[in-house]
Amino acid sequence: MALLKIARMGHPVLLGQAAPVADPTAPDMRRLVADMAETLLDSGGIGLAAPQVHVPLRLFLWRDADRLRVLFNPEIIPLDDMLELGWEGCLSIPGLRGQVPRHARVAWRGFDQHGAPVEGEASGLGARVLQHENDHLDGIFYLMRMEDLSMLGFTEELARAEAARDE
Ligand code: NI
């Protein structure tokens, strides 16, 4: 396993449409998933999409409770029209956080590392992570989803402001 270099905003690989994965069970996919898992755990993030490690293919990893999961060729289907605001950051945009509107509940489906179809539902933070990671496969950053850029800031400053408010 190896730590992969994370592409940052501005790199063209993050702006394109990623291609479907022909065979999730192929040896190079197994290696990629293992390396992405190590990279995600090392980063402390909660999700990582393949384009973020310079691989323009449709797969991502995310933390589902304490479990690290992978989804190939994912589809995310909103289960309600309600959008809720929540804080997001991105390993490709280090140091920043912003408030992003997302569907509160989604269904998800795709294929696991054995090529088996998998599906589920998620709400709250889980739904948010899935929408964020899936967006990376279509060249979309969370910043592009923000409606109020005054709700964007450096993590450090936001934490300082919050601490001052709580005093
Ligand atoms: Ni991201």
Side-chain angles (χ1 to χ4, degrees), residues 47-49 52 88-93 132-133 136 140-142:
L48 182 66
Q52 292 184 277
E88 292 183 26
C90 181
L91 294 172
S92 297
I93 316 171
H132 178 119
E133 298 312 325
H136 277 304
I140 298 167
F141 290 102
Y142 77 83

Side-chain angles (χ1 to χ4, degrees), residues 27 36 64:
M36 284 177 67
D64 185 9

Side-chain angles (χ1 to χ4, degrees), residues 28-50:
D28 57 337
M29 287 300 106
R30 196 176 320 140
R31 197 158 44 240
L32 175 63
V33 168
D35 290 346
M36 284 177 67
E38 189 177 356
T39 305
L40 177 56
L41 293 173
D42 177 73
S43 71
I46 47 179
L48 182 66

